[in-house]
Amino acid sequence: RKRPSTPHRTRKMSATMSTAAVSARAVVRGGARTPVRGAQMPVAANRRVTSRGARVVVRAEAGAAAEAATAETPAEKEGETYEYQAEVNRLLDLIVNSLYSNRDVFLRELVSNASDALDKLRFLSVSNPGMMDTQGDMKIQIRGDPVAKTLTIEDTGIGMTREDLVSSLGTIARSGTAKFMDMLQSKSEGENLIGKFGVGFYSAFLVADKITVTTKNNDDDSVWTWESEIDQSSYQIIKGGDEGAPLKRGTRITLHLKDGAEEFAEDTKLTELVKTYSEFISFPIEIFSKKSVSKQVEDVDATATEIEAFNKRKIAAEATATLFDEDEPKPVMKTTYDDVSEFTVTNNDKPIWVRNPKDVEKEQYDEFFKSTFKEFLEPLAYNHFAVEGDIEFRSILYVPGMAPFEQQDMMSRSKAIKLYVRRVFISDEFDDSLLPRYLTFVRGVVDSNDLPLNVSREILQESRVVRVMRKRLIRKTLDMLKEISKRDNDDYATFWDAFGRNLKLGVIEDTANRDALAPLLRFQTSATDKGAHRGLEEYVADMKEGQKSIYYVAADTREAAENSPFLEQLTKKGLEVLFLIDPIDEVAMTNLAQFGEKTLVDISKEDLDLGEEDSEEKAAAAEIEEEYKVLTDWMATTLGSKVAKVTVSKRLTNTPVVLVTSKFGWSANMERIMKAQAMGDSRASEYMKGKKTMEINPTSPVILDLKAKQLANDPECAATAELLFDTALLTSGFNIDQPAEFAAKIFSLMDKAVGASASAKPKKEKKEKKTKDVVPLESVDPEVM
């Protein structure tokens, strides 16, 4: 029958699921904890009431509010059926298929709602102790029935009145149903809308096709039952409940499980979910489960054996007229085990991070670390702290004693930080939101009072609360590392071996904390034994008087760094040099650039400053440069585009020549690393290559000889200059582009050294061959002839 049109008929979603978004935690219990969002939308003004025995059917059309409809309905009626005008089937289908990516969370939602109800009862009972008279215990009970395919969650909390049922459970997404539908339909893959709408209770439809809610509030003398099915466009409110299981106070939610969701009626699965998500709820959670109970029973066979032996001894004594005064044997007992089903408390009522740090022993911290994060070594350090004020959260952070075996995947998703909201576990996949990538080795828990229960990655990214939490967590972690570095044992060496690269990555990526990370860096140096490390603070403390810079050289290995020609003059002057032998080291030091007031200097770059020079040293250097100007200009012309210029070196003592790069280009080591990148950009590589400058050693015999030959116009001077350039490429850490040409030059030089001519060997071979071909006649067999 065609209904009369109303101004609200054009709204597809204007049913009783209007009014304002209930908090995802408190949607089930007496009023929402979070204030509602938006104005209430009109719901059901025009009603058609049809009497069906003791039941009243209320057809809800666009118009007045649901509360008004409730008030107008006669209170003495036994039950009511509210029929939605909106496309509820479609809406619930979107909730089930779009809103939640993991159906396991339904139990977390319902248990959290039950905890809210108990919290509210506890708060109100402070001013009105009589509220606890009807039911003294405050607990949550969960019971699955695999045979009936039902799951029941019951609490002894505040409960709901009939009005609460209509205003809370009859409402979906109070913040505007049209907007809600639009966001569900436009939801991108992987996005989670939980926390943006008050639909936590309806997550139960992930596993159930029918939900029955029975509730009793102290302010209402009656027990009320709310019932709805996923494939129906109505819900019912009935006066009364299950007479076989009367409810004194609280709420009982019964889920009739879908096909394929039978596992949620098994006690093992329920225990697993509670342990995962709700272990630290402050109220006891009891799960009806089977357990083995031991009892003592008589061992009939053993008792019979004892009695038989007793009788034999007695008869033997009587036969020999011997006194027999043994007592008759008692029944022999044995232990048997029976499977008993009963409610068992599953959760730990007080998590360790909620306790006062003064009351927690180190052994307890270590045990929590091992059990929670599946570690077998004790942590190197831990930090238990609480932040109070505008933003409140508690946390325990740990530095592990060793790197994980899957360290190569550690930075992708480590599941290192477990996020809780008011003791309810949310996720361990928000590492990148709570800590930067380089600190993913840190383990810990964070429990916030300010985040919504149904938090998503998108909410975290936009939340000011999370930004504040992130800063505090980073600062506390760096404080831990600083404390470890000051210990007088090998703890920091152990940490550095496992996670040193992470801190170097932090220097590159975290500009805000770069100065705090720099003192934590460690390097091998020219003053340390092989394998030993020093920090920059120690380096600066041992610097020579007048030294303004911290010197470093990059190489593949320590041996290569020690034999680098760039070190010769620095070693002679006793200056310490850092050895950067990890591929990430040079990038980290380039980004750091300065430590305190000291500049970091790469000794393989041009214009190396080794300290102040007096006037005599400057005059001598200028004289040498003038003396070798003809040679350097000639070499620059001979080598052409291979070098930018040729100068007299101040860093060499033994090596004839060396190649240095420009200050703002790649060093030889970095150029080699970038060439090895599988996905490197060849265009950027050509742009970033440093221009090469050849420095000659004026005291080297090779250079002195070349100078004399160049003045005499020796034709072999050019070949010698080319060979010196190729040799400098190798000793300076570069790769030779034409190794065959370089090998030919070496072979030619070797030929000259041994004094052999190019034509002598072929003549000798020919003569030997001729001699070998002459066969004496006597050696020929006559029969062969």
Side-chain angles (χ1 to χ4, degrees):
R1 187 171 59 186
K2 185 175 181 180
R3 297 180 181 176
S5 61
T6 71
H8 300 279
R9 286 287 293 167
T10 56
R11 292 190 182 181
K12 285 206 160 191
M13 296 297 304
S14 62
T16 49
M17 20 195 244
S18 51
T19 37
V22 186
S23 165
R25 293 193 69 192
V27 72
V28 183
R29 301 294 181 259
R33 171 178 291 185
T34 305
V36 297
R37 284 188 282 177
Q40 293 188 351
M41 295 177 61
V43 181
N46 300 327
R47 299 181 299 121
R48 179 168 182 172
V49 182
T50 306
S51 176
R52 295 179 181 176
R55 187 182 298 275
V56 176
V57 177
V58 181
R59 299 196 177 277
E61 299 180 357
E67 289 81 356
T70 303
E72 294 173 10
T73 305
E76 67 272 15
K77 298 296 182 182
E78 184 179 343
E80 300 169 345
T81 299
Y82 290 82
E83 184 174 329
Y84 297 107
Q85 177 190 359
E87 302 173 46
V88 176
N89 291 337
R90 177 168 167 246
L91 178 62
L92 291 182
D93 180 68
L94 286 172
I95 289 175
V96 171
N97 296 311
S98 299
L99 210 54
Y100 290 86
S101 58
N102 180 11
R103 66 178 184 173
D104 289 355
V105 301
F106 85 93
L107 190 62
R108 180 191 76 186
E109 298 290 331
L110 298 182
V111 170
S112 298
N113 291 335
S115 176
D116 280 350
L118 291 166
D119 269 330
K120 188 171 184 179
L121 176 66
R122 181 166 55 186
F123 176 77
L124 295 176
S125 65
V126 174
S127 57
N128 184 10
M131 299 185 68
M132 302 293 293
D133 293 344
T134 54
Q135 178 75 32
D137 295 336
M138 300 181 70
K139 61 185 178 182
I140 302 169
Q141 291 186 327
I142 304 174
R143 179 170 185 166
D145 188 341
V147 177
K149 292 178 57 176
T150 60
L151 172 62
T152 303
I153 300 97
E154 181 176 339
D155 66 76
T156 59
I158 192 67
M160 287 181 283
T161 64
R162 177 179 167 280
E163 289 73 18
D164 292 334
L165 285 175
V166 175
S167 62
S168 294
L169 297 194
T171 301
I172 302 177
R174 292 184 178 183
S175 59
T177 53
K179 180 181 177 182
F180 179 71
M181 291 285 291
D182 291 342
M183 291 200 67
L184 284 179
Q185 290 175 327
S186 63
K187 186 186 79 70
S188 60
E189 183 178 355
E191 186 182 19
N192 192 339
L193 297 178
I194 285 301
K196 299 181 180 179
F197 299 96
V199 290
F201 166 72
Y202 287 90
S203 65
F205 281 113
L206 288 165
V207 298
D209 49 24
K210 180 181 178 181
I211 302 177
T212 302
V213 180
T214 305
T215 184
K216 172 68 171 65
N217 184 285
N218 286 341
D219 294 337
D220 196 326
D221 294 334
S222 301
V223 176
W224 295 94
T225 300
W226 181 98
E227 194 170 88
S228 181
E229 297 185 27
I230 193 172
D231 57 352
Q232 291 186 358
S233 60
S234 63
Y235 65 90
Q236 299 177 354
I237 297 180
I238 306 169
K239 186 176 182 179
D242 186 358
E243 296 182 359
L247 196 63
K248 297 180 180 179
R249 185 195 65 240
T251 301
R252 180 187 300 130
I253 302 175
T254 303
L255 309 182
H256 302 267
L257 300 174
K258 299 177 180 178
D259 292 336
E262 294 85 355
E263 62 174 332
F264 296 104
E266 301 291 338
D267 57 352
T268 53
K269 178 66 174 179
L270 297 173
T271 301
E272 175 190 345
L273 293 180
V274 170
K275 286 286 186 183
T276 300
Y277 294 104
S278 307
E279 182 179 6
F280 301 113
I281 291 290
S282 56
F283 300 99
I285 302 175
E286 300 178 354
I287 296 180
F288 193 76
S289 57
K290 292 182 180 179
K291 66 177 183 179
S292 296
V293 179
S294 62
K295 65 177 183 178
Q296 296 291 318
V297 298
E298 181 181 354
D299 189 338
V300 178
D301 294 337
T303 302
T305 302
E306 287 289 330
I307 292 175
E308 183 179 356
F310 172 80
N311 291 333
K312 287 181 178 180
R313 292 194 298 274
K314 183 177 180 181
I315 293 172
E318 292 176 351
T320 57
T322 305
L323 178 63
F324 186 79
D325 57 356
E326 291 185 26
D327 295 333
E328 187 173 347
K330 297 180 179 179
V332 178
M333 308 301 291
K334 65 179 181 179
T335 302
T336 60
Y337 295 88
D338 290 340
D339 288 337
V340 177
S341 295
E342 61 183 12
F343 282 105
T344 304
V345 177
T346 307
N347 61 319
N348 181 359
D349 61 346
K350 192 168 186 179
I352 188 174
W353 63 82
V354 177
R355 299 163 59 185
N356 191 322
K358 297 180 181 179
D359 299 332
V360 184
E361 301 293 334
K362 181 181 182 303
E363 292 74 15
Q364 294 175 291
Y365 285 118
D366 293 346
E367 183 60 32
F368 178 77
F369 171 73
K370 293 178 182 179
S371 61
T372 304
F373 300 104
K374 307 300 184 290
E375 297 280 350
F376 58 90
L377 292 180
E378 294 181 359
L380 289 175
Y382 60 86
N383 196 339
H384 182 187
F385 61 95
V387 175
E388 297 179 350
D390 293 340
I391 295 174
E392 296 184 0
F393 71 92
R394 291 177 172 270
S395 177
I396 302 179
L397 299 178
Y398 292 93
V399 176
M402 65 173 291
F405 294 110
E406 68 281 2
Q407 192 172 10
Q408 65 274 12
D409 300 326
M410 183 175 63
M411 292 188 182
S412 58
R413 177 171 293 181
S414 65
K415 297 188 176 182
I417 301 297
K418 297 183 180 295
L419 176 63
Y420 289 78
V421 174
R422 294 182 288 275
R423 302 188 184 186
V424 178
F425 175 67
I426 302 301
S427 177
D428 55 6
E429 297 182 358
F430 293 149
D431 294 350
D432 53 347
S433 299
L434 297 173
L435 283 176
R437 183 169 65 137
Y438 69 93
L439 291 180
T440 50
F441 62 87
V442 176
R443 301 286 184 264
V445 296
V446 178
D447 189 355
S448 171
N449 290 332
D450 300 295
L451 288 173
L453 176 67
N454 296 310
V455 69
S456 68
R457 189 176 300 276
E458 290 73 24
I459 292 176
L460 286 181
Q461 292 172 347
E462 300 171 1
S463 173
R464 185 183 75 88
V465 174
V466 173
R467 290 194 293 269
V468 174
M469 290 170 59
R470 179 185 174 96
K471 289 181 180 178
R472 293 294 182 92
L473 292 174
I474 294 174
R475 193 184 71 183
K476 293 293 185 180
T477 300
L478 297 182
D479 288 345
M480 272 196 299
L481 300 182
K482 186 176 180 181
E483 186 273 326
I484 299 174
S485 67
K486 293 182 177 180
R487 296 177 185 174
D488 294 330
N489 52 28
D490 296 332
D491 286 352
Y492 196 74
T494 301
F495 165 79
W496 184 256
D497 290 340
F499 307 111
R501 288 185 180 180
N502 293 68
L503 300 191
K504 296 171 187 176
L505 179 64
V507 170
I508 298 170
E509 296 183 343
D510 192 354
T511 57
N513 294 291
R514 188 171 287 164
D515 292 339
L517 288 167
L520 300 173
L521 300 179
R522 296 292 183 268
F523 302 97
Q524 295 189 52
T525 76
S526 57
T528 63
D529 296 331
K530 185 176 181 179
H533 296 81
R534 298 191 80 191
L536 296 179
E537 290 179 340
E538 295 176 272
Y539 181 101
V540 172
D542 295 340
M543 285 174 58
K544 296 286 185 180
E545 184 178 354
Q547 182 179 344
K548 298 179 180 179
S549 304
I550 298 174
Y551 300 109
Y552 67 86
V553 64
D556 288 335
T557 62
R558 179 185 173 94
E559 290 73 16
E562 288 176 329
N563 297 319
S564 173
F566 302 112
L567 262 72
E568 292 177 356
Q569 191 63 245
L570 286 90
T571 303
K572 183 178 179 180
K573 291 190 173 186
L575 298 175
E576 186 177 7
V577 180
L578 303 177
F579 293 157
L580 310 187
I581 57 178
D582 199 333
I584 198 175
D585 286 349
E586 188 173 356
V587 184
M589 297 298 272
T590 303
N591 281 271
L592 185 58
Q594 193 164 341
F595 180 74
E597 298 179 354
K598 305 298 180 181
T599 304
L600 300 172
V601 175
D602 185 350
I603 63 173
S604 69
K605 298 292 183 72
E606 64 180 355
D607 297 333
L608 178 64
D609 183 8
L610 297 180
E612 295 288 341
E613 292 181 337
D614 56 30
S615 57
E616 293 182 1
E617 291 175 335
K618 290 181 180 180
E623 184 179 347
I624 293 175
E625 287 181 5
E626 184 65 27
E627 179 184 351
Y628 279 84
K629 187 176 189 332
V630 176
L631 178 62
T632 55
D633 290 346
W634 173 83
M635 292 183 71
T637 303
T638 302
L639 296 175
S641 61
K642 293 181 179 179
V643 296
K645 59 183 177 179
V646 180
T647 63
V648 177
S649 178
K650 297 180 182 179
R651 73 185 86 207
L652 298 177
T653 58
N654 300 318
T655 305
V657 293
V658 73
L659 290 175
V660 299
T661 55
S662 56
K663 284 187 176 181
F664 303 104
W666 286 341
S667 67
N669 181 69
M670 184 55 60
E671 185 176 321
R672 187 173 59 254
I673 292 173
M674 297 309 294
K675 278 185 177 180
Q677 301 301 311
M679 304 300 291
D681 188 347
S682 58
R683 294 170 299 177
S685 177
E686 289 299 324
Y687 175 75
M688 290 300 298
K689 281 182 179 179
K691 294 181 179 180
K692 299 179 180 67
T693 297
M694 176 180 276
E695 293 186 0
I696 63 173
N697 180 6
T699 63
S700 170
V702 176
I703 298 300
L704 292 173
D705 181 66
L706 179 62
K707 179 186 177 189
K709 289 182 178 180
Q710 189 271 330
L711 291 175
N713 294 323
D714 190 325
E716 294 184 357
C717 286
T720 303
E722 293 282 354
L723 185 58
L724 282 172
F725 174 79
D726 290 339
T727 307
L729 283 174
L730 289 177
T731 57
S732 302
F734 294 96
N735 293 324
I736 295 180
D737 294 333
Q738 300 294 337
E741 292 183 7
F742 175 70
K745 295 174 185 178
I746 297 296
F747 293 150
S748 176
L749 189 63
M750 293 173 65
D751 285 342
K752 294 178 182 179
V754 298
S757 65
S759 59
K761 290 185 178 180
K763 290 181 179 179
K764 186 176 180 181
E765 289 175 359
K766 186 175 181 180
K767 185 177 180 180
E768 289 178 354
K769 185 175 182 182
K770 185 176 180 180
T771 305
K772 187 176 180 181
D773 291 342
V774 177
V775 182
L777 187 61
E778 298 80 12
S779 64
V780 180
D781 192 335
E783 294 183 2
V784 175
M785 292 290 288

